[in-house]
Structures are given as structure tokens and as C-alpha cells.
Amino acid sequence: MAILPIITYPNKILEKKTGKIGDIKNSGLRKLVLDMLETLEENKGIGLAANQVGKSLRLCVIKLDGKTHILINPKYKSKSWRKEIAEEGCLSFPGRFFPVRRHRKVKVAAQDRQGNELVIEADGILSRALQHEIDHLDGILFISRKARVSAKKQLK
Ligand code: CO
């Protein structure tokens, strides 16, 4: 395994939509997943998308509450109508945090490393992480989703 350099903003690859992965059992992909997990851990992040390490592929990893999620070709099944705002960070924006409005709950389908379909239903931080990472895969950065929080609301 190897720790990969993380690409930071404003590198253009971060704003390019990633490509769907066809050959899931490819050995290069297996190594990329392991390297991404090690890189995520080393940087004490919650989530990492493949384009953040220079690979424009529809793959992301999330580590939260001792659980590891590896999502290949993730897509939404549903998103809650209700949204909530919370502060987010991103490994491609070291030291920067912004309030972002996200769907409260999401249901995401993806493939696992064997190519089987997996479905995750999440709320809370996992829901937020899934939306942040799927945005990365679509070339959307959290700075473009910065919530305008009024002074009044911030006091609450
Ligand atoms: Co990020």
C-alpha cells in the first residue's frame, strides 16, 4: 500500500466529472482502493474520492465510526426533502471549513469490490459524507454549495 498525494484546489481534475468503472476486478483498481484507504487514514479524513488522488474514476471511500465504506459507481436512490446545514471540511481544502446545506437522509446504491450491488441508507454525518463524496465524483466542490447563513441563524 502507499500513501498518495492529495490534489488540492484549484487543480482542474477536481471539477471534472469522473468516469464510470467497468472492470471492477481489475488489480489496479484493487490497489487504488487500498491506497485510498491508507491515504484517508493518514490524513485523518472521513472521505476521499478517487479524483482527489488524481484518478478520474467513480470511486470513493468513507471511514466513519470504525466502519469502512467502499463505493464503486455510487448513485442516489433517494434524497430526503428535508435539508440541514452543518460545517464541512475537505482534504482538498486544508484547514478550510464552510457551512453546507445537505439532504438530511440519502439512500445510495453502489457496487462493492466484488461487483455486487450494495445500498446504504444514511442520515447524520454519514449522509453528509456520502453527498460530499458523490459531489466530488460529479466534479462539484463544497465551496460551490456554501450555505448563506444569516447572522440570526448562526446565533441559535
Ligand atoms: Co472533499
Side-chain angles (χ1 to χ4, degrees), residues 47 52 89-92 132-133 136:
Q52 290 181 281
C90 178
L91 292 176
S92 293
H132 182 110
E133 298 315 320
H136 269 302

Side-chain angles (χ1 to χ4, degrees), residues 14 47-49 52 88-93 102 129 132-133 135-136 140-142:
L14 296 173
L48 185 66
Q52 290 181 281
E88 282 181 24
C90 178
L91 292 176
S92 293
F93 292 79
R102 299 282 187 192
H132 182 110
E133 298 315 320
D135 265 359
H136 269 302
I140 299 165
L141 295 169
F142 79 142

